[in-house]
Amino acid sequence: MHKQLLGGRFHFESTSQALLDLVEAAYGDVPPHRLPFLTPELHVQLRLVPGGHLPNAMEPPPVQMQSGMDLLFGVINAANYVVISPRQRQALVVASEDMLAFPYHLRYELIEFAVFVLAARCLGLVPLHAACVGREGRGVLLLGDSGAGKTTLALHGLLEGMEFLSEDAVFVQTESMLATAVTNYVHVKNDALRFVDDAKAQRWISESPVIRRRSGVEKFEADVRSGHGRLAKAPLKLVGAVFVSSEMTDDPDALLRPVPKGDIAARLDADQAYAAGQAGWLPFQQKLVQMGMHELRRGGHPRASVEALSDLLDRRMRL
């Protein structure tokens, strides 16, 4: 199975149709993003082994991360793990038959982890815990703590006609400041449905499968490929970035406020602890400082925040 993802050409190989079906669930019909320069060939082998390793489990044990000898490991147990070799541009995902009962964990914590790490390391991308929406090929990066509202903002950007890139993981090529992602799902809490006014969109989300995060939080996993908005067909050129805040304001003119340039670097380091330790972080950080950043507070309805983002995009696109 071959997929164009995150600027790379991924080749998935397996004798297990069940594992290839999970690959298709994750990456089928995802916009085939390409980045400037070369498109590397990346290989992921998926191997299914006999079960009996997760007896009576409500969920699999958490993934333990290890590294050594230019290899990266994500280990659940002796029969469920991923080994990644960026130097060889290859990854091996091993899963037991009883792990198939946990398709979300298998897909998200092993298969997608392998894809993300290979893309970031082999293409020199900066991996961010962030969301991104845009318009006309230009994008705004949404940063902030978990629970600050990035997903809600990205969802309503999608519903209001903006191009949707991602609500969770964004990868940036520093030289071009192009942002790419795997544009497949948006994860929505049940209490966020009260802000979704369109009945068709409410049904789309509420009838989606429910996944359970490691934190215990349950969310609808709504497939954005099902035609409920505009997906970013190509990487978005970043023209703005905001820290999403949980602080409320009823004044639409006070939603966006600039972050002092002297504070941006420290706030980025604190917000993106994993990315800050990766190659390419410093030039990326410097470009965001030069670009300038804003803090976005919550309005009475997410639509107000989307309007503020749209205004920011308009201003930046005129520069």
Side-chain angles (χ1 to χ4, degrees):
M1 187 175 288
H2 310 284
K3 302 291 182 184
Q4 180 71 32
L5 305 168
L6 303 169
R9 180 71 170 166
F10 279 83
H11 303 274
F12 297 92
E13 178 185 350
S14 182
T15 60
S16 167
Q17 187 59 49
L19 292 178
L20 290 176
D21 287 346
L22 285 175
V23 172
E24 185 64 23
Y27 305 122
D29 297 322
V30 166
H33 286 188
R34 289 172 172 80
L35 293 167
F37 316 119
L38 296 177
T39 300
E41 303 282 325
L42 306 168
H43 297 265
V44 180
Q45 185 182 96
L46 304 109
R47 185 179 302 167
L48 190 66
V49 299
H53 298 274
L54 299 166
N56 304 317
M58 296 297 292
E59 70 175 14
V63 177
Q64 302 295 320
M65 307 307 300
Q66 301 288 338
S67 63
M69 299 180 66
D70 295 323
L71 299 173
L72 297 169
F73 305 86
V75 181
I76 292 177
N77 59 26
N80 294 280
Y81 56 87
V82 56
V83 183
I84 304 167
S85 173
R87 178 175 293 182
Q88 296 181 10
R89 297 180 176 177
Q90 296 184 43
L92 170 66
V93 175
V94 176
S96 61
E97 290 175 338
D98 44 0
M99 188 69 177
L100 293 173
F102 305 97
Y104 167 72
H105 293 88
L106 174 50
R107 189 195 79 225
Y108 185 73
E109 297 182 344
L110 296 181
I111 298 173
E112 293 190 21
F113 175 69
V115 168
F116 285 168
V117 171
L118 280 176
R121 299 295 178 93
C122 298
L123 281 79
L125 307 179
V126 177
L128 301 170
H129 178 217
C132 187
V133 294
R135 191 172 62 246
E136 297 177 22
R138 301 294 187 267
V140 175
L141 196 62
L142 311 177
L143 306 168
D145 297 334
S146 294
K150 298 187 297 295
T151 293
T152 298
L153 193 53
L155 169 64
H156 283 270
L158 174 75
L159 297 178
E160 295 295 323
M162 300 183 81
E163 293 177 36
F164 178 91
L165 181 69
S166 176
E167 51 99 30
D168 183 57
V170 176
F171 297 80
V172 179
Q173 185 185 63
T174 301
E175 296 88 343
S176 62
M177 289 301 278
L178 288 171
T180 182
V182 174
T183 307
N184 51 8
Y185 299 106
V186 60
H187 297 91
V188 184
K189 289 183 181 179
N190 185 62
D191 61 4
L193 283 176
R194 70 185 189 276
F195 293 116
V196 179
D197 304 322
D198 181 74
K200 185 178 178 182
Q202 273 211 358
R203 286 194 304 273
W204 161 54
I205 297 169
S206 62
E207 293 175 1
S208 298
V210 175
I211 58 94
R212 187 175 185 271
R213 298 285 201 192
R214 289 289 186 178
S215 63
V217 174
E218 293 187 342
K219 296 186 176 184
F220 295 108
E221 187 172 62
D223 195 328
V224 297
R225 296 164 290 183
S226 58
H228 287 272
R230 301 177 60 195
L231 307 186
K233 300 297 185 184
L236 298 179
K237 173 80 171 181
L238 292 179
V239 296
V242 301
F243 291 109
V244 180
S245 169
S246 58
E247 182 182 344
M248 298 285 296
T249 179
D250 293 326
D251 183 356
D253 295 325
L255 288 171
L256 272 177
R257 55 188 179 189
V259 177
K261 281 211 169 185
D263 296 343
I264 293 176
R267 289 193 63 171
L268 285 170
D269 285 339
D271 186 72
Q272 300 290 323
Y274 175 77
Q278 305 302 307
W281 172 253
L282 187 57
F284 168 75
Q285 182 190 66
Q286 291 172 340
K287 286 195 174 185
L288 282 189
V289 171
Q290 293 169 2
M291 184 185 300
M293 295 187 64
H294 289 76
E295 183 177 73
L296 178 62
R297 294 187 281 179
R298 290 186 185 181
H301 191 283
R303 191 179 300 111
S305 299
V306 172
E307 290 174 359
L309 281 181
S310 184
D311 290 343
L312 177 62
L313 261 174
D314 287 341
R315 295 198 301 271
R316 291 301 178 90
M317 290 169 69
R318 288 196 294 266
L319 294 178

